[in-house]
Every structure is written in C-alpha cells, then in structure tokens.
Amino acid sequence: MKQFFITGTDTEVGKTHISCLLLKFIQNYGHRALGFKPIAAGAEEAFGQWVNDDALSLLESSNVNVPYNTVNPFVFAEPIAPHIAAKNTGKTITLASLSASYRAIKATDADYLLTEGAGGWALPINDTDYLYDWVKAENLPVILVVGLKLGCLNHALLTQAHMQQLGINCVGWIANHIDNTMLEQQANIASLKERLTMPLLAIAPYADEQAKLQVHDVLLDALKLR
Ligand SMILES: Nc1ncnc2c1ncn2[C@@H]1O[C@H](COP(=O)(O)OP(=O)(O)OP(=O)(O)O)[C@@H](O)[C@H]1O
Ligand SMILES: C[C@H](N)[C@H](N)CCCCCC(=O)O
Ligand SMILES: [Mg+2]
C-alpha cells in the first residue's frame, strides 16, 4: 500500500479539494484509492452520528468502501482547533490512538491511502503533541498544498523549514489557485519554485470541483504511478 500525508500551508487552502482530485487521478491508473481524515472539526448530525464534510468528500472520491468511522475516527462538532474541541468534549487525541485508527484503515485492500491533515502543518493534537509527530512516527511521505494567496510564501517556506528540521520526506508541493483576485499569481509560483527544494507536482486552477489538475510528470514519480 502506498501512503501519503496531505498537508497545507493553512486551514482552508484546498487540502480536501486536492486530496479528492488526487484520489480520482490515482483511480484513473487502475488503482484502489482511499482517503483518511483522522481528525475533523466541524460536523453535523446525520444518520445518528456526527459527520464532517471533508471526510464525506474523501469517502465519495474513494473507490474503496469503508464505514464512515474508519475514514474519520476523531470528529468534533465545533469548527475549532481540534485539541480544544477534544478538551471541551472530554476526549483525548493521542499518537497511539491515531496509529490504532491508521492500522484499521490500512487493513483495507486499498492500493493508495491518502491522509488529509487538519489545519496547517503545526497542528496541536493535545497539550504536548502535534499531528506532525504522528506523521514522523508513521514515516509518511508528505505532499504540501500551497493555497495561493498573499502570505503563502511565508507559510510555505516556514512549513518546508520545519519539515526539513524534522527530517520529513516531502515529495513535492501542489499550487492551488484559491483566490482569483490574487495579484502576480505566476510570479508567486515562480518565487516558490526558486525557494522550495521539493518539486512542483501539479497546479490546480481556480474552479469548481470538476477542475482538472495540471499535472507535471514529477507527480507520477512522486505518487509512484510509474
Ligand atoms: N482550486 C480551487 N478553486 C476554487 N475553490 C477552491 C479551490 N480549492 C479549494 N477551494 C475552496 O476553498 C475552500 C477550502 O478548500 P478545502 O476545504 O479543500 O480546504 P482545506 O485545506 O481542506 O480546509 P480544512 O483545513 O478545513 O480541511 C472550499 O470552499 C473549497 O471549495
Ligand atoms: C475547523 C477548520 N476548518 C479545521 N478543520 C481545523 C483548523 C484548525 C486550525 C488550528 C490552528 O492552526 O489555529
Ligand atoms: Mg479539508
């Protein structure tokens, strides 16, 4: 099973959007692809349980059928920082519980498992640990989604610097056009290409969910599709 962790330069930068496009892209190569959203904050009650839109989108874009709770083991009603939501509801997210949930979803027959983070790279999960501690413990290769907006240079460069400090294998970044009013979009992509040491894997246009990724050949290598 090939496994990747999808992080982003911030919350609301398109991690779910890109993860869903990647799941479909991988399926076009004849593989079984499944999404995992270990921690989600912001949910509504449906079918007698709390469900989160990201997890539902990932599930819809997957071609492996698994129960909701397997895709999203930690779900909180309030759209707030998950460690605060956990504290408010008397729950604790631990590295061990994340890994136990991960073992459960890895027991499926998926060829590809894409895990979407929550928020940006440095997401607290409890008083002491961060989601990146889990990514490191699981030794997951990472794909960084850069939401193109003013401020993304700082976010992308700091994220890269921290990943390098931790010895994380970031296989590449994806430029996601989330703000069609942004000035100098191409110059910003060029600035990132000059400064990020990992390859640009794809560019996602500003568009609805049917949008196609502009795929660079390196994406196939990064995803081990060839
Ligand atoms: N390429 C795009 N073009 C237009 N809208 C986009 C694009 N990518 C994302 N969006 C929109 O931006 C919003 C945030 O995207 P998305 O939910 O994928 O972000 P996220 O990083 O997964 O957020 P979260 O931190 O909540 O998980 C959504 O409304 C989504 O539809
Ligand atoms: C609710 C939101 N959409 C995400 N699911 C959670 C974002 C957490 C951000 C934490 C932070 O860095 O401040
Ligand atoms: Mg999301």
Side-chain angles (χ1 to χ4, degrees):
M1 180 183 282
K2 297 185 176 73
Q3 305 162 50
F4 296 90
F5 181 82
I6 316 298
T7 192
T9 41
D10 199 355
T11 186
E12 294 276 306
V13 294
K15 296 181 301 297
T16 305
H17 180 73
I18 296 295
S19 297
C20 291
L21 290 175
L22 289 177
L23 286 167
K24 294 291 186 191
F25 182 76
I26 290 164
Q27 286 163 38
N28 288 339
Y29 284 77
H31 298 295
R32 288 181 299 270
L34 177 60
F36 181 48
K37 177 83 184 180
I39 304 169
E44 51 198 44
E45 249 180 317
F47 322 113
Q49 61 178 352
W50 289 103
V51 292
N52 164 267
D53 276 350
D54 289 14
L56 289 176
S57 298
L58 293 172
L59 202 45
E60 270 171 28
S61 299
S62 300
N63 61 348
V64 180
N65 206 8
V66 294
Y68 179 88
N69 291 331
T70 305
V71 168
N72 179 209
F74 286 100
V75 57
F76 301 101
E78 296 294 314
I80 58 177
H83 72 297
I84 298 174
K87 203 165 250 183
N88 290 350
T89 53
K91 301 207 170 82
T92 314
I93 309 169
T94 63
L95 296 171
S97 58
L98 288 173
S99 288
S101 307
Y102 199 54
R103 278 194 295 279
I105 198 161
K106 279 199 295 184
T108 61
D109 63 354
D111 305 312
Y112 278 81
L113 184 54
L114 304 189
T115 299
E116 184 195 336
W121 174 244
L123 182 91
I125 57 167
N126 55 42
D127 286 347
T128 50
D129 301 311
Y130 291 82
L131 191 54
Y132 58 64
D133 293 316
W134 177 76
V135 175
K136 183 163 171 65
E138 295 288 343
N139 201 20
L140 295 179
V142 174
I143 292 173
L144 171 64
V145 175
V146 177
L148 290 165
K149 60 180 178 186
L150 197 57
C152 71
L153 303 181
N154 168 56
H155 285 152
L157 295 171
L158 285 176
T159 301
Q160 168 171 270
H162 191 257
M163 285 183 191
Q164 286 173 344
Q165 206 175 303
L166 288 186
I168 296 287
N169 173 24
C170 187
V171 296
W173 64 286
I174 293 179
N176 188 26
H177 285 282
I178 52 170
D179 174 8
N180 62 357
T181 68
M182 185 195 189
L183 302 174
E184 296 291 354
Q185 299 189 18
Q186 293 316 311
N188 274 270
I189 292 180
S191 295
L192 286 167
K193 277 175 87 170
E194 280 165 17
R195 290 168 178 83
L196 293 173
T197 55
M198 65 273 201
L200 173 58
L201 303 178
I203 300 177
Y206 182 85
D208 63 21
E209 288 183 9
Q210 303 308 316
K212 286 258 174 1
L213 281 176
Q214 285 173 39
V215 171
H216 295 195
D217 277 357
V218 276
L219 178 67
L220 303 181
D221 300 325
L223 292 174
K224 301 196 172 98
L225 284 166
R226 66 172 186 187

PDB file of all heavy atoms in Angstrom, residues 185-217:
ATOM      1  N   GLN A 185       0.032  36.025  -9.601  1.00  0.00           N
ATOM      2  CA  GLN A 185      -0.037  34.600  -9.266  1.00  0.00           C
ATOM      3  C   GLN A 185       1.155  33.825  -9.832  1.00  0.00           C
ATOM      4  O   GLN A 185       1.764  33.005  -9.131  1.00  0.00           O
ATOM      5  CB  GLN A 185      -1.353  34.007  -9.778  1.00  0.00           C
ATOM      6  CG  GLN A 185      -2.553  34.690  -9.130  1.00  0.00           C
ATOM      7  CD  GLN A 185      -3.877  34.013  -9.423  1.00  0.00           C
ATOM      8  OE1 GLN A 185      -3.929  32.867  -9.837  1.00  0.00           O
ATOM      9  NE2 GLN A 185      -4.967  34.712  -9.195  1.00  0.00           N
ATOM     10  N   GLN A 186       1.480  34.089 -11.106  1.00  0.00           N
ATOM     11  CA  GLN A 186       2.596  33.346 -11.722  1.00  0.00           C
ATOM     12  C   GLN A 186       3.925  33.695 -11.061  1.00  0.00           C
ATOM     13  O   GLN A 186       4.779  32.822 -10.861  1.00  0.00           O
ATOM     14  CB  GLN A 186       2.673  33.631 -13.231  1.00  0.00           C
ATOM     15  CG  GLN A 186       1.481  33.084 -14.010  1.00  0.00           C
ATOM     16  CD  GLN A 186       1.108  31.665 -13.576  1.00  0.00           C
ATOM     17  OE1 GLN A 186       1.949  30.775 -13.476  1.00  0.00           O
ATOM     18  NE2 GLN A 186      -0.173  31.457 -13.298  1.00  0.00           N
ATOM     19  N   ALA A 187       4.096  34.972 -10.702  1.00  0.00           N
ATOM     20  CA  ALA A 187       5.349  35.386 -10.054  1.00  0.00           C
ATOM     21  C   ALA A 187       5.475  34.743  -8.677  1.00  0.00           C
ATOM     22  O   ALA A 187       6.582  34.428  -8.221  1.00  0.00           O
ATOM     23  CB  ALA A 187       5.397  36.911  -9.945  1.00  0.00           C
ATOM     24  N   ASN A 188       4.350  34.544  -8.018  1.00  0.00           N
ATOM     25  CA  ASN A 188       4.395  33.874  -6.717  1.00  0.00           C
ATOM     26  C   ASN A 188       4.768  32.401  -6.882  1.00  0.00           C
ATOM     27  O   ASN A 188       5.562  31.867  -6.091  1.00  0.00           O
ATOM     28  CB  ASN A 188       3.050  34.014  -5.992  1.00  0.00           C
ATOM     29  CG  ASN A 188       2.966  35.309  -5.213  1.00  0.00           C
ATOM     30  OD1 ASN A 188       3.336  35.368  -4.048  1.00  0.00           O
ATOM     31  ND2 ASN A 188       2.519  36.372  -5.878  1.00  0.00           N
ATOM     32  N   ILE A 189       4.201  31.756  -7.892  1.00  0.00           N
ATOM     33  CA  ILE A 189       4.568  30.349  -8.143  1.00  0.00           C
ATOM     34  C   ILE A 189       6.067  30.277  -8.459  1.00  0.00           C
ATOM     35  O   ILE A 189       6.783  29.412  -7.940  1.00  0.00           O
ATOM     36  CB  ILE A 189       3.725  29.743  -9.293  1.00  0.00           C
ATOM     37  CG1 ILE A 189       2.266  29.614  -8.844  1.00  0.00           C
ATOM     38  CG2 ILE A 189       4.276  28.385  -9.716  1.00  0.00           C
ATOM     39  CD1 ILE A 189       1.331  29.035  -9.891  1.00  0.00           C
ATOM     40  N   ALA A 190       6.538  31.215  -9.281  1.00  0.00           N
ATOM     41  CA  ALA A 190       7.967  31.225  -9.639  1.00  0.00           C
ATOM     42  C   ALA A 190       8.829  31.441  -8.389  1.00  0.00           C
ATOM     43  O   ALA A 190       9.869  30.787  -8.219  1.00  0.00           O
ATOM     44  CB  ALA A 190       8.236  32.319 -10.673  1.00  0.00           C
ATOM     45  N   SER A 191       8.393  32.329  -7.499  1.00  0.00           N
ATOM     46  CA  SER A 191       9.150  32.586  -6.267  1.00  0.00           C
ATOM     47  C   SER A 191       9.226  31.330  -5.405  1.00  0.00           C
ATOM     48  O   SER A 191      10.254  31.057  -4.778  1.00  0.00           O
ATOM     49  CB  SER A 191       8.485  33.697  -5.457  1.00  0.00           C
ATOM     50  OG  SER A 191       8.535  34.901  -6.167  1.00  0.00           O
ATOM     51  N   LEU A 192       8.132  30.586  -5.378  1.00  0.00           N
ATOM     52  CA  LEU A 192       8.133  29.343  -4.591  1.00  0.00           C
ATOM     53  C   LEU A 192       9.025  28.279  -5.250  1.00  0.00           C
ATOM     54  O   LEU A 192       9.747  27.555  -4.568  1.00  0.00           O
ATOM     55  CB  LEU A 192       6.702  28.822  -4.425  1.00  0.00           C
ATOM     56  CG  LEU A 192       5.844  29.624  -3.434  1.00  0.00           C
ATOM     57  CD1 LEU A 192       4.380  29.253  -3.548  1.00  0.00           C
ATOM     58  CD2 LEU A 192       6.338  29.399  -2.003  1.00  0.00           C
ATOM     59  N   LYS A 193       8.944  28.212  -6.587  1.00  0.00           N
ATOM     60  CA  LYS A 193       9.779  27.217  -7.293  1.00  0.00           C
ATOM     61  C   LYS A 193      11.258  27.454  -7.016  1.00  0.00           C
ATOM     62  O   LYS A 193      12.043  26.526  -6.900  1.00  0.00           O
ATOM     63  CB  LYS A 193       9.513  27.271  -8.806  1.00  0.00           C
ATOM     64  CG  LYS A 193       8.291  26.462  -9.217  1.00  0.00           C
ATOM     65  CD  LYS A 193       7.970  26.631 -10.668  1.00  0.00           C
ATOM     66  CE  LYS A 193       8.721  25.657 -11.558  1.00  0.00           C
ATOM     67  NZ  LYS A 193       8.197  25.706 -12.944  1.00  0.00           N
ATOM     68  N   GLU A 194      11.616  28.740  -6.932  1.00  0.00           N
ATOM     69  CA  GLU A 194      13.029  29.080  -6.667  1.00  0.00           C
ATOM     70  C   GLU A 194      13.452  28.707  -5.258  1.00  0.00           C
ATOM     71  O   GLU A 194      14.614  28.428  -5.006  1.00  0.00           O
ATOM     72  CB  GLU A 194      13.241  30.594  -6.828  1.00  0.00           C
ATOM     73  CG  GLU A 194      13.383  31.035  -8.262  1.00  0.00           C
ATOM     74  CD  GLU A 194      13.223  32.555  -8.390  1.00  0.00           C
ATOM     75  OE1 GLU A 194      13.324  33.273  -7.369  1.00  0.00           O
ATOM     76  OE2 GLU A 194      12.963  33.007  -9.518  1.00  0.00           O
ATOM     77  N   ARG A 195      12.513  28.725  -4.331  1.00  0.00           N
ATOM     78  CA  ARG A 195      12.879  28.592  -2.917  1.00  0.00           C
ATOM     79  C   ARG A 195      12.550  27.260  -2.282  1.00  0.00           C
ATOM     80  O   ARG A 195      13.178  26.872  -1.293  1.00  0.00           O
ATOM     81  CB  ARG A 195      12.221  29.723  -2.112  1.00  0.00           C
ATOM     82  CG  ARG A 195      12.827  31.078  -2.415  1.00  0.00           C
ATOM     83  CD  ARG A 195      12.004  32.211  -1.864  1.00  0.00           C
ATOM     84  NE  ARG A 195      12.649  33.495  -2.128  1.00  0.00           N
ATOM     85  CZ  ARG A 195      12.543  34.169  -3.267  1.00  0.00           C
ATOM     86  NH1 ARG A 195      11.816  33.685  -4.261  1.00  0.00           N
ATOM     87  NH2 ARG A 195      13.180  35.320  -3.432  1.00  0.00           N
ATOM     88  N   LEU A 196      11.531  26.563  -2.803  1.00  0.00           N
ATOM     89  CA  LEU A 196      11.191  25.258  -2.223  1.00  0.00           C
ATOM     90  C   LEU A 196      12.096  24.214  -2.857  1.00  0.00           C
ATOM     91  O   LEU A 196      12.309  24.213  -4.073  1.00  0.00           O
ATOM     92  CB  LEU A 196       9.715  24.926  -2.467  1.00  0.00           C
ATOM     93  CG  LEU A 196       8.704  25.828  -1.733  1.00  0.00           C
ATOM     94  CD1 LEU A 196       7.274  25.518  -2.169  1.00  0.00           C
ATOM     95  CD2 LEU A 196       8.839  25.688  -0.215  1.00  0.00           C
ATOM     96  N   THR A 197      12.612  23.330  -2.039  1.00  0.00           N
ATOM     97  CA  THR A 197      13.580  22.362  -2.570  1.00  0.00           C
ATOM     98  C   THR A 197      12.881  21.145  -3.165  1.00  0.00           C
ATOM     99  O   THR A 197      13.494  20.389  -3.911  1.00  0.00           O
ATOM    100  CB  THR A 197      14.551  21.907  -1.458  1.00  0.00           C
ATOM    101  OG1 THR A 197      13.778  21.404  -0.365  1.00  0.00           O
ATOM    102  CG2 THR A 197      15.401  23.070  -0.971  1.00  0.00           C
ATOM    103  N   MET A 198      11.607  20.931  -2.819  1.00  0.00           N
ATOM    104  CA  MET A 198      10.895  19.795  -3.411  1.00  0.00           C
ATOM    105  C   MET A 198      10.224  20.228  -4.704  1.00  0.00           C
ATOM    106  O   MET A 198       9.988  21.420  -4.911  1.00  0.00           O
ATOM    107  CB  MET A 198       9.895  19.194  -2.416  1.00  0.00           C
ATOM    108  CG  MET A 198       8.769  20.089  -2.018  1.00  0.00           C
ATOM    109  SD  MET A 198       9.232  21.127  -0.631  1.00  0.00           S
ATOM    110  CE  MET A 198       7.616  21.583   0.011  1.00  0.00           C
ATOM    111  N   PRO A 199       9.899  19.270  -5.589  1.00  0.00           N
ATOM    112  CA  PRO A 199       9.340  19.653  -6.891  1.00  0.00           C
ATOM    113  C   PRO A 199       7.884  20.113  -6.833  1.00  0.00           C
ATOM    114  O   PRO A 199       7.126  19.690  -5.956  1.00  0.00           O
ATOM    115  CB  PRO A 199       9.449  18.355  -7.708  1.00  0.00           C
ATOM    116  CG  PRO A 199       9.519  17.255  -6.721  1.00  0.00           C
ATOM    117  CD  PRO A 199      10.156  17.823  -5.484  1.00  0.00           C
ATOM    118  N   LEU A 200       7.531  20.961  -7.789  1.00  0.00           N
ATOM    119  CA  LEU A 200       6.130  21.340  -8.002  1.00  0.00           C
ATOM    120  C   LEU A 200       5.469  20.184  -8.762  1.00  0.00           C
ATOM    121  O   LEU A 200       5.870  19.861  -9.887  1.00  0.00           O
ATOM    122  CB  LEU A 200       6.064  22.637  -8.823  1.00  0.00           C
ATOM    123  CG  LEU A 200       4.680  23.087  -9.280  1.00  0.00           C
ATOM    124  CD1 LEU A 200       3.719  23.300  -8.114  1.00  0.00           C
ATOM    125  CD2 LEU A 200       4.783  24.375 -10.108  1.00  0.00           C
ATOM    126  N   LEU A 201       4.480  19.546  -8.150  1.00  0.00           N
ATOM    127  CA  LEU A 201       3.894  18.328  -8.722  1.00  0.00           C
ATOM    128  C   LEU A 201       2.721  18.614  -9.645  1.00  0.00           C
ATOM    129  O   LEU A 201       2.450  17.843 -10.569  1.00  0.00           O
ATOM    130  CB  LEU A 201       3.403  17.402  -7.599  1.00  0.00           C
ATOM    131  CG  LEU A 201       4.448  16.985  -6.559  1.00  0.00           C
ATOM    132  CD1 LEU A 201       3.786  16.122  -5.488  1.00  0.00           C
ATOM    133  CD2 LEU A 201       5.592  16.238  -7.220  1.00  0.00           C
ATOM    134  N   ALA A 202       2.000  19.693  -9.357  1.00  0.00           N
ATOM    135  CA  ALA A 202       0.796  19.985 -10.150  1.00  0.00           C
ATOM    136  C   ALA A 202       0.308  21.386  -9.785  1.00  0.00           C
ATOM    137  O   ALA A 202       0.661  21.926  -8.739  1.00  0.00           O
ATOM    138  CB  ALA A 202      -0.303  18.967  -9.840  1.00  0.00           C
ATOM    139  N   ILE A 203      -0.508  21.915 -10.692  1.00  0.00           N
ATOM    140  CA  ILE A 203      -1.154  23.203 -10.434  1.00  0.00           C
ATOM    141  C   ILE A 203      -2.664  22.993 -10.586  1.00  0.00           C
ATOM    142  O   ILE A 203      -3.111  22.408 -11.583  1.00  0.00           O
ATOM    143  CB  ILE A 203      -0.666  24.279 -11.426  1.00  0.00           C
ATOM    144  CG1 ILE A 203       0.856  24.468 -11.291  1.00  0.00           C
ATOM    145  CG2 ILE A 203      -1.385  25.601 -11.179  1.00  0.00           C
ATOM    146  CD1 ILE A 203       1.464  25.457 -12.279  1.00  0.00           C
ATOM    147  N   ALA A 204      -3.416  23.409  -9.575  1.00  0.00           N
ATOM    148  CA  ALA A 204      -4.875  23.289  -9.663  1.00  0.00           C
ATOM    149  C   ALA A 204      -5.452  24.664  -9.948  1.00  0.00           C
ATOM    150  O   ALA A 204      -5.199  25.617  -9.216  1.00  0.00           O
ATOM    151  CB  ALA A 204      -5.440  22.746  -8.355  1.00  0.00           C
ATOM    152  N   PRO A 205      -6.208  24.779 -11.029  1.00  0.00           N
ATOM    153  CA  PRO A 205      -6.797  26.081 -11.369  1.00  0.00           C
ATOM    154  C   PRO A 205      -7.894  26.467 -10.397  1.00  0.00           C
ATOM    155  O   PRO A 205      -8.452  25.616  -9.699  1.00  0.00           O
ATOM    156  CB  PRO A 205      -7.377  25.842 -12.766  1.00  0.00           C
ATOM    157  CG  PRO A 205      -7.633  24.381 -12.830  1.00  0.00           C
ATOM    158  CD  PRO A 205      -6.618  23.714 -11.941  1.00  0.00           C
ATOM    159  N   TYR A 206      -8.215  27.754 -10.392  1.00  0.00           N
ATOM    160  CA  TYR A 206      -9.364  28.217  -9.607  1.00  0.00           C
ATOM    161  C   TYR A 206     -10.610  27.781 -10.353  1.00  0.00           C
ATOM    162  O   TYR A 206     -10.871  28.210 -11.467  1.00  0.00           O
ATOM    163  CB  TYR A 206      -9.339  29.743  -9.469  1.00  0.00           C
ATOM    164  CG  TYR A 206     -10.484  30.264  -8.633  1.00  0.00           C
ATOM    165  CD1 TYR A 206     -10.372  30.313  -7.252  1.00  0.00           C
ATOM    166  CD2 TYR A 206     -11.677  30.664  -9.218  1.00  0.00           C
ATOM    167  CE1 TYR A 206     -11.436  30.758  -6.466  1.00  0.00           C
ATOM    168  CE2 TYR A 206     -12.737  31.106  -8.444  1.00  0.00           C
ATOM    169  CZ  TYR A 206     -12.610  31.144  -7.075  1.00  0.00           C
ATOM    170  OH  TYR A 206     -13.651  31.571  -6.303  1.00  0.00           O
ATOM    171  N   ALA A 207     -11.340  26.887  -9.757  1.00  0.00           N
ATOM    172  CA  ALA A 207     -12.506  26.372 -10.454  1.00  0.00           C
ATOM    173  C   ALA A 207     -13.319  25.522  -9.496  1.00  0.00           C
ATOM    174  O   ALA A 207     -12.954  25.369  -8.335  1.00  0.00           O
ATOM    175  CB  ALA A 207     -12.073  25.527 -11.647  1.00  0.00           C
ATOM    176  N   ASP A 208     -14.380  24.969  -9.999  1.00  0.00           N
ATOM    177  CA  ASP A 208     -15.190  24.111  -9.146  1.00  0.00           C
ATOM    178  C   ASP A 208     -14.554  22.724  -9.030  1.00  0.00           C
ATOM    179  O   ASP A 208     -13.454  22.480  -9.506  1.00  0.00           O
ATOM    180  CB  ASP A 208     -16.626  24.018  -9.669  1.00  0.00           C
ATOM    181  CG  ASP A 208     -16.692  23.370 -11.037  1.00  0.00           C
ATOM    182  OD1 ASP A 208     -15.735  22.660 -11.402  1.00  0.00           O
ATOM    183  OD2 ASP A 208     -17.688  23.583 -11.728  1.00  0.00           O
ATOM    184  N   GLU A 209     -15.269  21.815  -8.373  1.00  0.00           N
ATOM    185  CA  GLU A 209     -14.674  20.519  -8.049  1.00  0.00           C
ATOM    186  C   GLU A 209     -14.392  19.646  -9.260  1.00  0.00           C
ATOM    187  O   GLU A 209     -13.703  18.633  -9.144  1.00  0.00           O
ATOM    188  CB  GLU A 209     -15.566  19.783  -7.048  1.00  0.00           C
ATOM    189  CG  GLU A 209     -15.459  20.444  -5.686  1.00  0.00           C
ATOM    190  CD  GLU A 209     -16.245  19.747  -4.612  1.00  0.00           C
ATOM    191  OE1 GLU A 209     -16.751  18.651  -4.867  1.00  0.00           O
ATOM    192  OE2 GLU A 209     -16.332  20.321  -3.528  1.00  0.00           O
ATOM    193  N   GLN A 210     -14.938  20.025 -10.410  1.00  0.00           N
ATOM    194  CA  GLN A 210     -14.670  19.230 -11.611  1.00  0.00           C
ATOM    195  C   GLN A 210     -13.314  19.587 -12.217  1.00  0.00           C
ATOM    196  O   GLN A 210     -12.864  18.963 -13.169  1.00  0.00           O
ATOM    197  CB  GLN A 210     -15.753  19.471 -12.679  1.00  0.00           C
ATOM    198  CG  GLN A 210     -17.165  19.174 -12.192  1.00  0.00           C
ATOM    199  CD  GLN A 210     -17.280  17.798 -11.576  1.00  0.00           C
ATOM    200  OE1 GLN A 210     -16.768  16.822 -12.109  1.00  0.00           O
ATOM    201  NE2 GLN A 210     -17.929  17.719 -10.428  1.00  0.00           N
ATOM    202  N   ALA A 211     -12.679  20.603 -11.652  1.00  0.00           N
ATOM    203  CA  ALA A 211     -11.432  21.096 -12.240  1.00  0.00           C
ATOM    204  C   ALA A 211     -10.385  19.999 -12.354  1.00  0.00           C
ATOM    205  O   ALA A 211     -10.238  19.169 -11.477  1.00  0.00           O
ATOM    206  CB  ALA A 211     -10.884  22.221 -11.385  1.00  0.00           C
ATOM    207  N   LYS A 212      -9.689  20.036 -13.437  1.00  0.00           N
ATOM    208  CA  LYS A 212      -8.611  19.069 -13.667  1.00  0.00           C
ATOM    209  C   LYS A 212      -7.292  19.642 -13.143  1.00  0.00           C
ATOM    210  O   LYS A 212      -7.036  20.828 -13.239  1.00  0.00           O
ATOM    211  CB  LYS A 212      -8.473  18.818 -15.168  1.00  0.00           C
ATOM    212  CG  LYS A 212      -9.575  17.958 -15.771  1.00  0.00           C
ATOM    213  CD  LYS A 212      -9.039  16.560 -15.961  1.00  0.00           C
ATOM    214  CE  LYS A 212     -10.034  15.518 -16.421  1.00  0.00           C
ATOM    215  NZ  LYS A 212     -11.377  15.851 -16.664  1.00  0.00           N
ATOM    216  N   LEU A 213      -6.483  18.768 -12.615  1.00  0.00           N
ATOM    217  CA  LEU A 213      -5.140  19.177 -12.210  1.00  0.00           C
ATOM    218  C   LEU A 213      -4.282  19.352 -13.447  1.00  0.00           C
ATOM    219  O   LEU A 213      -4.350  18.534 -14.364  1.00  0.00           O
ATOM    220  CB  LEU A 213      -4.495  18.067 -11.384  1.00  0.00           C
ATOM    221  CG  LEU A 213      -4.862  17.909  -9.925  1.00  0.00           C
ATOM    222  CD1 LEU A 213      -4.155  16.688  -9.370  1.00  0.00           C
ATOM    223  CD2 LEU A 213      -4.471  19.148  -9.141  1.00  0.00           C
ATOM    224  N   GLN A 214      -3.461  20.394 -13.470  1.00  0.00           N
ATOM    225  CA  GLN A 214      -2.398  20.469 -14.490  1.00  0.00           C
ATOM    226  C   GLN A 214      -1.229  19.684 -13.920  1.00  0.00           C
ATOM    227  O   GLN A 214      -0.539  20.151 -13.025  1.00  0.00           O
ATOM    228  CB  GLN A 214      -1.943  21.904 -14.688  1.00  0.00           C
ATOM    229  CG  GLN A 214      -2.895  22.785 -15.458  1.00  0.00           C
ATOM    230  CD  GLN A 214      -2.387  24.221 -15.415  1.00  0.00           C
ATOM    231  OE1 GLN A 214      -1.190  24.481 -15.500  1.00  0.00           O
ATOM    232  NE2 GLN A 214      -3.307  25.147 -15.250  1.00  0.00           N
ATOM    233  N   VAL A 215      -1.079  18.494 -14.441  1.00  0.00           N
ATOM    234  CA  VAL A 215      -0.137  17.559 -13.823  1.00  0.00           C
ATOM    235  C   VAL A 215       1.246  17.685 -14.437  1.00  0.00           C
ATOM    236  O   VAL A 215       1.389  17.738 -15.656  1.00  0.00           O
ATOM    237  CB  VAL A 215      -0.675  16.126 -14.024  1.00  0.00           C
ATOM    238  CG1 VAL A 215       0.369  15.108 -13.600  1.00  0.00           C
ATOM    239  CG2 VAL A 215      -1.955  15.947 -13.230  1.00  0.00           C
ATOM    240  N   HIS A 216       2.246  17.746 -13.605  1.00  0.00           N
ATOM    241  CA  HIS A 216       3.621  17.698 -14.078  1.00  0.00           C
ATOM    242  C   HIS A 216       4.082  16.243 -13.999  1.00  0.00           C
ATOM    243  O   HIS A 216       3.625  15.491 -13.135  1.00  0.00           O
ATOM    244  CB  HIS A 216       4.514  18.589 -13.214  1.00  0.00           C
ATOM    245  CG  HIS A 216       4.166  20.048 -13.323  1.00  0.00           C
ATOM    246  ND1 HIS A 216       4.979  21.059 -12.896  1.00  0.00           N
ATOM    247  CD2 HIS A 216       3.066  20.663 -13.829  1.00  0.00           C
ATOM    248  CE1 HIS A 216       4.417  22.223 -13.135  1.00  0.00           C
ATOM    249  NE2 HIS A 216       3.252  22.016 -13.687  1.00  0.00           N
ATOM    250  N   ASP A 217       5.003  15.843 -14.874  1.00  0.00           N
ATOM    251  CA  ASP A 217       5.448  14.442 -14.892  1.00  0.00           C
ATOM    252  C   ASP A 217       5.951  13.966 -13.537  1.00  0.00           C
ATOM    253  O   ASP A 217       5.798  12.799 -13.188  1.00  0.00           O
ATOM    254  CB  ASP A 217       6.572  14.264 -15.926  1.00  0.00           C
ATOM    255  CG  ASP A 217       5.971  14.074 -17.313  1.00  0.00           C
ATOM    256  OD1 ASP A 217       4.727  14.034 -17.415  1.00  0.00           O
ATOM    257  OD2 ASP A 217       6.748  13.970 -18.277  1.00  0.00           O
TER     258      ASP A 217
END
